[in-house]
Amino acid sequence: MSTPHTAKSSLLRIENLTPQSAHRIIQQALKLKSGQSTPQVSFAKRLVAALVFFEPSTRTRFSFEVACHRMGVHPTAFLADSTTSMAKGETLHETMNTLIAMRPDLVVVRAPAHAQLEKILAETSIPVLNAGTGVEEHPTQALLDAMTIIERKGRIESERILFVGDVSHSRVANSGIQLFKRLGAEVACSSPVDMKPQSKLWVDARHFENLKDGLQWATVCIGLRIQKERHGRSMGQEELQSYIRQFRLDKKNISDLSADALIMHPGPFVPEEDFSEELLQDSRVALHDQVTNGVYVRMATIGDLLGIPCT
Ligand code: CP
């Protein structure tokens, strides 16, 4: 099958992005959002994107679907549920081989582990976009978060960005720290000791055991959900209540954050545990801006990977 595009590469990890390429995607996303740039949708009218999700998602999947439609690319989604042949015992790898054999022009994948994505990439020349791998990476989330910080604060350089909560299980924080540092920001985290990240990405990052200290340091605060499904053990009631008392982002706990700070969360949030719904009324909160910006960042990324021109 011939396609009218020249694929530039894939996006699996933040390390695939230079600061220049990240800024280019973010600037293009901002132009698409403001209407200064418009995709030539007719160019992409025969292109198909396979959106393949082996883990649950609301915003990333829907966002990629909307972004594909806006770029003129046809999205077709595979969600690993009881209606697919995985319910009959087909493996993730063979499922991917089967979908790739249908020759989509782009594959967007959410997989439980990064190694699965590397394996897919090694076996295909089709561009692959990471839509979140286990606890490891979520590069388009980091791009949309950086776009939101630049849009709301006017810059990302020299901002002090604090991840709060279950950092050790967060692919959002792992991609975030790499991208934000590349773009000149400082990054730290605040969490209970047993949720402090152990990976080498975080060796030089400050860790605040006390949220109040972290919030006094931060200019941007990013809350995280407790990733209970990745803990491998159940969290006791006492432990959960202690977490909520100390680390849930709510009116009481964020009282030390400055008036011009930005409050973010990748979503989904659990109101009783990590992010109080009442905060959505706070003008410092950018949760739904993040969701909106996700569409533009994904449009810019898809355009970049598939070579779709924009005026
Ligand atoms: N932020 C994010 O990845 O959300 P979903 O799991 O809903 O896609």
Side-chain angles (χ1 to χ4, degrees):
M1 176 180 163
S2 67
T3 55
H5 71 275
T6 306
K8 287 186 179 163
S9 60
S10 292
L11 176 56
L12 297 196
R13 297 182 183 273
I14 290 298
E15 70 183 26
N16 298 143
L17 291 170
T18 61
Q20 292 74 19
S21 59
H23 271 305
R24 194 184 65 242
I25 289 170
I26 293 166
Q27 289 308 318
Q28 177 58 13
L30 286 164
K31 282 186 190 166
L32 288 164
K33 185 176 183 180
S34 68
Q36 285 177 65
S37 179
T38 309
Q40 290 182 19
V41 292
S42 58
F43 181 88
K45 68 182 179 208
R46 284 171 39 237
L47 301 182
V48 172
L51 312 185
V52 186
F53 280 71
F54 294 105
E55 288 194 344
S57 170
T58 297
R59 50 199 61 61
T60 308
R61 181 175 70 83
F62 204 76
S63 177
F64 269 114
E65 283 192 31
V66 174
C68 282
H69 284 298
R70 297 235 165 103
M71 294 302 288
V73 175
H74 299 281
T76 180
F78 172 92
L79 316 175
D81 61 23
S82 61
T83 65
T84 73
S85 288
M86 291 187 83
K88 302 176 206 170
E90 190 159 59
T91 62
L92 183 154
H93 190 64
E94 187 47 26
T95 300
M96 277 311 309
N97 284 339
T98 301
L99 297 173
I100 284 171
M102 296 181 206
R103 307 296 306 272
D105 299 282
L106 170 70
V107 182
V108 176
V109 193
R110 172 167 288 189
H114 203 85
Q116 291 154 335
L117 232 61
E118 302 280 5
K119 203 167 172 190
I120 293 161
L121 190 69
E123 293 170 5
T124 182
S125 57
I126 297 170
V128 177
L129 241 166
N130 181 351
T133 41
V135 298
E136 293 163 88
E137 286 258 11
H138 197 347
T140 57
Q141 180 72 46
L143 284 164
L144 75 89
D145 288 343
M147 174 182 174
T148 305
I149 293 166
I150 291 168
E151 187 181 48
R152 292 279 291 248
K153 306 272 300 176
R155 64 169 195 184
I156 188 163
E157 298 86 351
S158 307
E159 293 297 327
R160 295 189 300 275
I161 303 171
L162 181 75
F163 283 98
V164 176
D166 189 0
V167 191
S168 59
H169 296 97
S170 176
R171 58 190 173 211
V172 170
N174 283 341
S175 283
I177 187 171
Q178 295 178 75
L179 181 64
F180 303 159
K181 281 171 68 176
R182 267 164 206 238
L183 300 181
E186 281 184 70
V187 181
C189 64
S190 181
S191 71
V193 173
D194 62 352
M195 291 181 182
K196 182 180 171 182
Q198 300 302 317
S199 102
K200 63 179 189 313
L201 296 174
W202 292 86
V203 284
D204 297 327
R206 287 179 76 175
H207 175 259
F208 295 95
E209 269 182 58
N210 188 330
L211 179 59
K212 184 184 170 80
D213 296 336
L215 293 178
Q216 284 175 351
W217 171 87
T219 58
V220 178
C221 163
I222 305 182
L224 299 168
R225 183 176 64 85
I226 307 173
Q227 307 258 314
K228 291 179 187 160
E229 70 276 23
R230 304 193 196 278
H231 285 193
R233 66 178 183 92
S234 62
M235 209 172 171
Q237 261 311 308
E238 203 175 308
E239 187 186 359
L240 180 60
Q241 290 311 318
S242 164
Y243 178 92
I244 293 166
R245 231 177 10 258
Q246 296 179 72
F247 292 101
R248 183 175 84 139
L249 297 185
D250 56 29
K251 267 189 184 168
K252 176 177 75 64
N253 280 345
I254 65 158
S255 58
D256 287 291
L257 194 61
S258 67
D260 61 353
L262 188 58
I263 303 170
M264 296 166 56
H265 193 301
F269 65 85
V270 180
E272 302 77 24
E273 296 182 359
D274 58 89
F275 187 91
S276 163
E277 244 163 358
E278 66 184 357
L279 285 189
L280 290 174
Q281 310 311 319
D282 189 316
S283 60
R284 294 172 293 178
V285 167
L287 263 71
H288 294 141
D289 291 1
Q290 290 171 263
V291 176
T292 303
N293 290 343
V295 172
Y296 295 104
V297 152
R298 288 168 182 132
M299 286 172 69
T301 308
I302 290 166
D304 207 43
L305 289 185
L306 294 180
I308 300 169
C310 292
T311 55

